[in-house]
Each structure stands twice: as C-alpha cells, then as structure tokens.
Amino acid sequence: MDINALYNEWLEKAVGDPDLKEELESIKGKDDEILDRFYRSLEFGTAGLRGVIGAGTNRMNIYTVGRATQGLSDFLNKNYENPSIAIGYDSRIKSDYFSKEAASILAANGIKVYIYEELEPTPCLSYAIRYFGTSSGIILTASHNPAKYNGYKCYNPKGYQMTDEEAAETYDFIQKVDYFTGIKKTDFDEAVKSGMIEYIGDEVINSFLDEVQKQCVNPELVKKADLKVIYTPLNGTGNKPVRAILDRIGIDKVYVVPEQEKPDGNFPTCPFPNPEIKQVFEIGLEMNKNIGADILLATDPDCDRVGIAVPDKSGELVLMSGNEVGAMLLNYLLSEKKAKGILPESAIAVKSFVSTDLAEVIAKKYNCTFKNLLTGFKYIGELITNLESEGRADDFVMGFEESYGYLAGTHARDKDAVVASMLICEMAAFYKLKNMNLVDVMNSLYDEFGYYSNVVESYTFEGAAGMEKMANIMETLRENPLKMIGGLHVTAVSDYKTSVTVYNDGSVSAIDLPKSNVLAFELEKGNKVIVRPSGTEPKIKAYITAIGDSKASADEMAKKLIAAADVFMK
C-alpha cells in the first residue's frame, strides 16, 4: 500500500466535508501525521467502527461512514427481502451529520429508514429495532471516549449488536466499496418526502419509558422516601429520558448539573465523559454542598452506562464501582421479588465473566441460575432472546457488566442507563426508609459473603506500534504461561481464543463460549487475573479479583496482583 498515493487521492477527492480538506492540507509533508491517518482502514468488528474524527481511512468521517453504510446496505439487501433499519445518534461531534449521511445512503439502496428526530440513548435504538421490526440498526456514538472520538455501531434484528458472523459478512461487503466512487446516495430531505426515511415520533419514546417503568419493584415506597438526586447527563443523551422516568416514579427532587445538562460533543467540563472516573462528578459534588443529596447519578453520553456517588454516615461522598452496584441491584431485585412472591422459580441472572464473582454467590442464596458470558452486552442480549424464544423471558432478572452497564427487563437488548438509573434510585429510596445508605448496604453484603476487591487496570498502546505491542504481549503470555502472580500460584489458565482451560495438574477442559482473545489466570483462594485487549480502544485491560476476610486484606492482595500485572504489560 502506497500511503502517499492514498493521501494524495484523498487530498484530491475528499471534498464532501470542508473540514477534511483543511486537515489534509495542514499535514502536507508530515509523514508521521499522514501515516497515522492512512496506515490502515478503521476496523469493522462486532462493535462496528470507532476512531478519531478526521481525514483518512483510519478516521471517522463521511467517507468511512459512507463506505461502511454502503457495505451494510449490500449485506441487508442480500439477506433480507424489503429490508429496513433504525438509526439513532448521540451528542458527539458530527453524530447527527453522520446519521443523516447514513440514512441517505441506505435510502438510495432501497432500504426503509426510521431515524430519531433528536439524540436519544443507545437503549432507545435497541428498542426501536424491535418496535418497528427492522432488519438492522445503527447508533452513532463513541460511548464514553474523549471528544475527539466518534463511532458507528451496527445491530441485528434481535436488537443487540451484530454477531461475529454477521459483522464478518458485512465487512466483506465493505471491503469491496470504493470510498469515493462506490457509494450510492440520495438527498435526505427528498427521501423524507418520499417516505423512504421516516422520523421516529414521541410515541416510541413513551412506549420505551412505559416498558422501563414496569421494572419497578416497590413503586409505592419511592415517594415516601423523599429522595434527593443530583443528576448529570454529561452533555449527552440522558437528560430527557432519565428525568422523565424519575418523575414517573415519584422522584421530584432531581437537581441537574447545569454545566453538563445540554448536549455538547466537546464535553467542556469532563474531557473524559466516563462515569467510571471521579472527575465527572466534581461539579455535582460541589453542588451537593448546598443540596445534601441522597445520591448522585452520572450517565455517559449515549446513556447506556451509569455511575453513582452516595454519602456515607459521615456525609462523605463515596464513588461506588460497577461491580458493587451490579451486586447490590441483583441482591435487591432477588430479595424483594422473593419477598413479594414474584421471583420466578427458574430465575436467571447473568454478567460478563470479568465482573465480580460476588454476584454469583448472591444468586446462589436465592436459587437463581447464574450465567457468565463473554464481555460484550450482545451476549446478554442473545441470552434474553433465547429465553424469549423458549417462552421464558420473564425468568430474566438482570444482567450487568463491571463497566457500569446494567439491564433489567427485556425491553432492550443492550445495557440501559435509563432503567438502571430508575432502579438504583428506587433501591436507594427503599433502603433510606430503613435508615441505610448504599454504602451500608454494600458493607452488609461484604459482611455476609466476604470482601471482593475488583480492580480494572488499563494499559494504553497508541498508534501502529501500539497495536503490534499489544499483540506481542498476548502472544508472550500464551507461549510462556505464568506460574505465579503476586505471590500466588496459578491454578488454571483459560485461553478463550483456543477455548481450552489447562489446570496446574495437567488436566484440560473445554470452554463453551465463543472464541475471544482473552486469557484468564485462576489463582489460589479464588483470586483471579483476566487479561483482555479492548475491542474498541488501543488498550489491554487487566481485571483483578482479590478476595479477603476484610477490606484491608483484599485491597492488599489487589495491590500485589496489580504490581504483577504492571510487570508483564511492559
């Protein structure tokens, strides 16, 4: 591949967006800058596309979006008679622009398009797919990434992200499309007039909220608790639907962080709009000095994940992890449904296999079947769909991932911060009436089941060299399996790429999950280290599980395991 020839072609032909022309002119003669933009095409995987906004094959722009959409159109026309699609978008830079570009291409290919009139959460896109019975769906979002990123995620007719097979076939079509000459396109407004593009109305949003509201377990108690909530949508899509659902269940004291209320893809007060990090709560924490809230909520820009901060008995605000919230929500739903006599006999709960094992122990107490699945909420969506096909949809209690993604109910097949925000507030109200805050609740679970310290360490590897480095690290760990980590013996190594677990006594067992580039090291006394390259970011993540009789002992073990991970990530 001649990088300079590719650059010159784009310099000549990329005239559809003036921003691209200006950027390409600015990097003339800068070999490193040109290489970074053109050394590869953005990879289309099961999560679709994700990358920095800008010019080049390795960037998010109207040509990379257009090429992907043309390939998707070809895939849909091959596999469906009279295909249709739903499209949503978030507040990110050019999300609305890219969504209309995609709609115009799909319409030109004879595919009926349903598109949200304004930005909406990702779970609303999942809901719309099933509401309209479309063949596919697209959401323009880069979730919690910094402002320079955008993304393009594709869904299947079931309402969850494409399977590996569907994505691979779509990618085959994409690769045949020329960026500049291979894309069909029609005028957006004309397609709206002809009915090929149809706006999604308020009735769909209201229907979505109706389904969310059905997941309340103790709706009559919420008003009694007089809960005070500080909420930040982090300049994203959650503002309207989260406030609407909290109002519906009787929470009228909701204080929205004004600097982070309106949609803004620049995220001026939170450069990393990720509810996993403390920084996004800082303005809300300052607000709380005059409010004295019971809970702070933060949803990410596409409102599929939510983080919380709650005051302990001393009034100090504590950020709670995704693992802790997932464990508390599961315990709350199971215990209250059992108390009310509405817990199904064949209840089932699920999590990603890198999330806390505490959830599995809680489920066992209530005779709830528990499943561990690969990371990626599509696997949870697939499980729900299979339950539905068996007439067992009501058996699904909830699913979660440690990265702050939760789903109760079957209205969506992706994580949903709208229903999660509602249930977290309901749970906080329930325990407030018992004179407990959520820190107390979490500590009571640790007292009952043991202390679990779950930590995720991320190691970033930028650019072309970084991709090679990531591959080398995983290869080294496979070829030279670790025998000790943090002073603990490795009792088993699970390689999800080969679907095999090898135990330290030499025995072997099969892993009954789809193949994935993941290595899990099981250690003595239930401790664990899982190593997984991110599918959407230039990172390798190490998921640490440390178990102890006390917070101090578990945290100390977690530090040892992190230090060991730091060494083999170099």
Side-chain angles (χ1 to χ4, degrees):
M1 178 173 59
D2 187 334
I3 299 294
N4 284 321
L6 197 54
Y7 163 73
N8 287 326
E9 181 185 21
W10 276 65
L11 189 61
E12 177 190 348
K13 295 179 180 178
V15 295
D17 181 346
D19 292 343
L20 303 184
K21 185 72 171 177
E22 182 180 343
E23 181 182 341
L24 290 166
E25 291 283 2
S26 73
I27 62 171
K28 269 186 180 178
K30 300 177 182 177
D31 291 344
D32 289 346
E33 296 272 10
I34 292 171
L35 176 64
D36 188 46
R37 286 164 175 79
F38 291 97
Y39 80 91
R40 66 168 189 163
S41 293
L42 277 183
E43 185 176 345
F44 185 92
T46 53
L49 304 173
R50 185 173 296 183
V52 174
I53 302 162
T57 58
N58 188 35
R59 293 289 189 268
M60 283 291 295
N61 53 65
I62 59 168
Y63 298 104
T64 52
V65 167
R67 183 175 184 247
T69 306
Q70 182 60 54
L72 175 62
S73 299
D74 295 338
F75 166 79
L76 294 175
N77 277 321
K78 177 195 171 188
N79 289 286
Y80 299 91
E81 187 175 347
N82 300 317
S84 58
I85 195 165
I87 299 179
Y89 59 94
D90 69 1
S91 61
R92 286 185 174 273
I93 296 165
K94 295 186 184 287
S95 275
D96 54 347
Y97 179 37
F98 292 157
S99 70
K100 288 188 173 183
E101 186 77 8
S104 299
I105 293 166
L106 288 154
N109 282 274
I111 297 168
K112 170 76 176 185
V113 178
Y114 299 92
I115 187 169
Y116 276 109
E117 201 158 5
E118 64 177 0
L119 71 174
E120 295 290 352
T122 287
C124 291
L125 183 275
S126 175
Y127 184 77
I129 292 168
R130 298 175 66 248
Y131 183 94
F132 291 108
T134 64
S135 316
S136 184
I138 300 169
I139 186 82
L140 277 301
T141 178
S143 188
H144 57 280
N145 287 83
K148 68 180 182 177
Y149 285 89
N150 209 328
Y152 175 108
K153 293 199 294 188
C154 291
Y155 288 68
N156 69 16
K158 305 297 185 183
Y160 51 86
Q161 288 181 43
M162 281 185 165
T163 64
D164 294 343
E165 294 77 13
E166 291 164 333
E169 187 178 352
T170 301
Y171 185 48
D172 286 343
F173 280 109
I174 292 171
Q175 288 182 298
K176 298 171 186 174
V177 177
D178 183 272
Y179 287 98
F180 302 108
T181 62
I183 300 168
K184 299 177 185 176
K185 187 180 171 186
T186 189
D187 180 78
F188 181 88
D189 293 332
E190 287 300 319
V192 172
K193 288 178 184 176
S194 72
M196 284 301 295
I197 297 176
E198 181 179 328
Y199 281 115
I200 298 172
D202 290 342
E203 70 277 3
V204 180
I205 298 298
N206 290 329
S207 176
F208 169 81
L209 293 173
D210 290 344
E211 293 302 314
V212 169
Q213 192 172 352
K214 290 177 184 176
Q215 299 309 311
C216 278
V217 182
N218 286 304
E220 71 283 354
L221 296 180
V222 177
K223 291 182 181 180
K224 296 178 184 178
D226 193 32
L227 202 73
K228 286 184 180 180
V229 179
I230 291 176
Y231 170 57
T232 171
L234 299 181
N235 303 116
T237 62
N239 188 34
K240 289 184 179 181
V242 170
R243 292 169 72 175
I245 200 64
L246 296 185
D247 181 68
R248 281 187 178 212
I249 66 170
I251 300 175
D252 53 15
K253 292 181 179 176
V254 179
Y255 306 86
V256 181
V257 177
E259 296 91 336
Q260 298 170 340
E261 178 179 1
K262 302 299 183 186
D264 187 343
N266 292 298
F267 310 117
T269 62
C270 50
F272 295 91
N274 185 346
E276 296 182 54
I277 62 176
K278 183 177 181 180
Q279 191 269 339
V280 304
F281 287 95
E282 287 179 353
I283 300 176
L285 293 171
E286 188 64 29
M287 276 180 64
N288 191 53
K289 292 177 182 178
N290 298 317
I291 293 173
D294 297 294
I295 189 166
L296 280 70
L297 298 175
T299 55
D300 66 344
D302 68 324
C303 196
D304 64 352
R305 305 188 312 135
V306 58
I308 69 170
V310 296
D312 61 16
K313 291 296 187 189
S314 70
E316 182 180 350
L317 282 156
V318 178
L319 269 67
M320 307 202 78
S321 72
N323 280 313
E324 290 177 322
V325 173
M328 282 192 294
L329 271 178
L330 180 62
N331 183 73
Y332 172 70
L333 292 173
L334 290 174
S335 61
E336 283 305 293
K337 287 189 175 190
K338 183 176 182 180
K340 290 176 175 290
I342 58 173
L343 182 66
E345 288 186 12
S346 302
I348 185 168
V350 62
K351 68 176 180 68
S352 63
F353 72 123
V354 297
S355 303
T356 182
D357 293 333
L358 174 58
E360 192 165 357
V361 180
I362 291 170
K364 186 176 181 180
K365 175 182 176 180
Y366 296 98
N367 296 316
C368 174
T369 300
F370 203 88
K371 296 282 188 182
N372 284 287
L373 301 178
L374 292 179
T375 300
F377 226 86
K378 67 178 179 179
Y379 297 112
I380 297 176
E382 188 175 33
L383 179 141
I384 296 170
T385 300
N386 291 338
L387 286 174
E388 188 176 57
S389 69
E390 298 167 7
R392 294 183 54 203
D394 290 342
D395 288 347
F396 178 73
V397 178
M398 71 167 285
F400 77 96
E401 293 184 329
E402 52 74 37
S403 54
Y404 294 59
Y406 319 95
L407 176 65
T410 61
H411 58 284
R413 302 297 155 91
D414 208 338
K415 47 192 178 286
D416 179 6
V418 182
V419 75
S421 295
M422 181 192 75
L423 286 174
I424 289 167
C425 287
E426 179 191 325
M427 177 172 65
F430 174 83
Y431 287 112
K432 183 181 179 181
L433 292 170
K434 295 179 178 293
N435 198 32
M436 296 174 72
N437 58 52
L438 294 185
V439 176
D440 297 330
V441 175
M442 196 65 236
N443 285 334
S444 71
L445 293 177
Y446 286 140
D447 288 342
E448 182 176 358
F449 298 110
Y451 196 91
Y452 286 68
S453 180
N454 295 99
V455 184
V456 182
E457 290 291 301
S458 292
Y459 304 86
T460 302
F461 305 89
E462 296 281 4
M467 297 291 286
E468 185 177 352
K469 177 70 172 175
M470 288 169 64
N472 288 340
I473 288 172
M474 296 302 294
E475 184 180 355
T476 298
L477 288 173
R478 281 194 168 89
E479 291 182 353
N480 304 284
L482 300 167
K483 303 298 183 185
M484 298 276 291
I485 302 178
L488 296 177
H489 290 283
V490 175
T491 59
V493 180
S494 296
D495 188 342
Y496 289 80
K497 193 172 183 179
T498 60
S499 300
V500 170
T501 298
V502 179
Y503 300 91
N504 59 0
D505 63 1
S507 60
V508 175
S509 66
I511 299 171
D512 186 23
L513 287 173
K515 294 184 184 299
S516 183
N517 187 17
V518 178
L519 289 167
F521 299 91
E522 295 178 36
L523 311 174
E524 300 171 71
K525 300 177 182 178
N527 297 280
K528 191 182 295 181
V529 176
I530 299 175
V531 181
R532 170 182 170 266
S534 171
T536 57
E537 302 171 278
K539 294 179 179 179
I540 294 182
K541 295 183 178 181
Y543 300 84
I544 309 293
T545 297
I547 303 173
D549 296 329
S550 66
K551 181 180 188 303
S553 63
D555 287 349
E556 183 61 31
M557 177 52 64
K559 288 179 183 177
K560 292 179 181 178
L561 297 178
I562 291 167
D566 289 345
V567 172
F568 61 72
M569 288 296 180
K570 288 181 179 177

